[in-house]
Amino acid sequence: QSSAISQCRVCWRLYQATPGQMQTRQFRVAVIGAVGGIGQPLSLLLMANKLVTELVLHDLTATKGFGQDLSHIDRACQVKSFFGEDQMKSAIKGSDIVMITAGMPRKPGQTRDFLFDTNAPIVAKAAGLVSQHAAHAMVGIITNPVNAVVAVAAEAMKKAGYYDPDRLFGVTTLDVVRAEKFIGDHMSIHPGKVRIPVIGGHAGTTIVPIFSQCQPPFEGDEKCIASIVKRIQTGGDEVVKAKAGQGSATLSMAYAAARFTNALMLGLKGEPGPPECAYVQSDATEAPFFSTPLTLGPKGIEENHGLPELDECEKEQLKVAVDALKKSAAKGVKFME
Ligand code: LMR
C-alpha cells in the first residue's frame, strides 16, 4: 500500500521533462473553457506536465493571447488556440483527452444544481462533438452540476453516434483532495500520505468520504469524523462564500483536475497509478452514475473497484447519496429527450 502511495505521488510530481524526452509524442489534451477561472490554471498545470505534448485551448472568447503566453514556457509542448462555437470541433478533433470546464460558476446562496440550465447545453455540445470527432478520447467533466451533466454528456454522445461509458468521467478528484488535506491536517501528517475513497457524487450529501477505509487509519472519534465529513461535503460552499461573489473554487479545482488528467494519461500509457475515484456509469448502486475507485487503462476504465467496505454510518450516508444521484441523472436524461 505505502509503495503504491509513493508511486502515485512520484507520478503526480514527475513534471520536469528531461531533454531526452523532448521529442516523444505523448498526449494531446484539449481544455474546453480554457480562459475561465479553472481553465487557465488547469492549462498551466497541464503545460508543465511532461506527458502533455500538445495542449489545445478552446473557449468562446479569444484564446490566442493566452495561448501565446503559455507557449513561452520552456516545455516540450505545442500550444494550439481555438475560439468560438465554430472552432470547438477543431479543438476537440484528434485529442486523446478532452477536459470540459466551460460554463458558469455559482454565486453565494446558489447550489451547483442552479447552474444546470446554463451549463447543460454547453456540456451537451462539447460531448456531442467528442463523439463525432474524437470518439476514442477520454472525457473529463468539471463543469457543474457534475451529478447531472455527466448524464447529459452520455445522452449527447449516444445521440451523436458513439458513447463509450468507460471513457466518460465526472471529475470528483477535488473531494478526494479536500479529504486528504483536511485529514492530513487533523492527523498532523502530510496530506500526500493520506488515501481515502470518496464515493458518490459531487455535491453536498452525495459526497461520501469513507473514513473506515482511510489509510493510515483515521485517528479521531465519531464527532470528529462527522465534522470533517461535513467540511468535505461543503468545501465548495466554503470557497464560494469566501470569494463573496467572485465565483467558486478555481485553483484547487484546477489542481484536482490536473491530477485526474495525469491519472488518465498514465492509464493511456498502460502504467496506471493507484485507483482514483471518478463519477462514471456504474452498477455499483441503483444510481446510474456513481463515483468509486477506478483503475485506469488505455481504454479508460480498466477496473471499477465498486463500493468499498462500509460501516453502518457510511451505509446510511450511501442511501441518501444514491437517492439524490438517481434524481440528478434522471434530470440529465430528461434534458436530452
Ligand atoms: C467545488 O467543489 O468547489 C466546485 O464544485 C465548485 C462549486 O461550485 O462548489
Side-chain angles (χ1 to χ4, degrees), residues 177-254:
V177 166
R178 284 181 176 135
E180 291 171 355
K181 171 68 177 159
F182 302 158
I183 292 169
D185 285 356
H186 167 81
M187 289 179 38
S188 302
I189 55 172
H190 193 290
K193 295 242 182 305
V194 178
R195 291 295 286 177
I196 175 166
V198 181
I199 64 169
H202 179 63
T205 51
T206 68
I207 301 168
V208 186
I210 307 302
F211 274 67
S212 63
Q213 300 303 317
C214 182
Q215 286 299 330
F218 183 75
E219 287 165 13
D221 58 15
E222 278 175 19
K223 208 168 145 207
C224 177
I225 292 178
S227 113
I228 301 180
V229 166
K230 179 96 185 148
R231 185 154 184 232
I232 296 163
Q233 290 177 334
T234 58
D237 307 76
E238 200 178 284
V239 178
V240 169
K241 199 169 164 213
K243 288 199 174 179
Q246 302 299 311
S248 53
T250 51
L251 304 176
S252 51
M253 181 55 97

Side-chain angles (χ1 to χ4, degrees), residues 88 112 116 119 139 150 157 169 188-189 230 245 261 274 285:
M88 199 190 271
R112 292 180 183 83
F116 182 84
N119 291 351
V139 183
V150 171
M157 293 174 114
F169 306 87
S188 302
I189 55 172
K230 179 96 185 148
T261 312
T285 68

Side-chain angles (χ1 to χ4, degrees), residues 253-265:
M253 181 55 97
Y255 172 89
R259 167 171 154 173
F260 187 69
T261 312
N262 190 61
L264 285 174
M265 291 189 289

Side-chain angles (χ1 to χ4, degrees), residues 88-120:
M88 199 190 271
K89 170 180 152 191
S90 311
I92 284 171
K93 202 169 176 178
S95 296
D96 300 296
I97 298 177
V98 178
M99 298 301 286
I100 303 175
T101 175
M104 290 299 290
R106 61 188 170 130
K107 296 193 170 62
Q110 293 177 344
T111 62
R112 292 180 183 83
D113 196 49
F114 186 89
L115 305 171
F116 182 84
D117 291 344
T118 310
N119 291 351

Side-chain angles (χ1 to χ4, degrees), residues 127-128 130-132 134-137 139 141 149-170 279-282 288-290 301 333:
V130 174
S131 172
Q132 288 167 332
H136 296 290
V139 183
I141 300 195
V149 296
V150 171
V152 169
E155 294 304 306
M157 293 174 114
K158 285 179 204 164
K159 279 199 172 167
Y162 185 82
Y163 167 55
D164 179 352
D166 288 343
R167 292 170 198 258
L168 175 64
F169 306 87
Y279 185 68
V280 296
Q281 186 173 312
S282 166
F289 294 88
F290 197 86
I301 302 172
V333 172

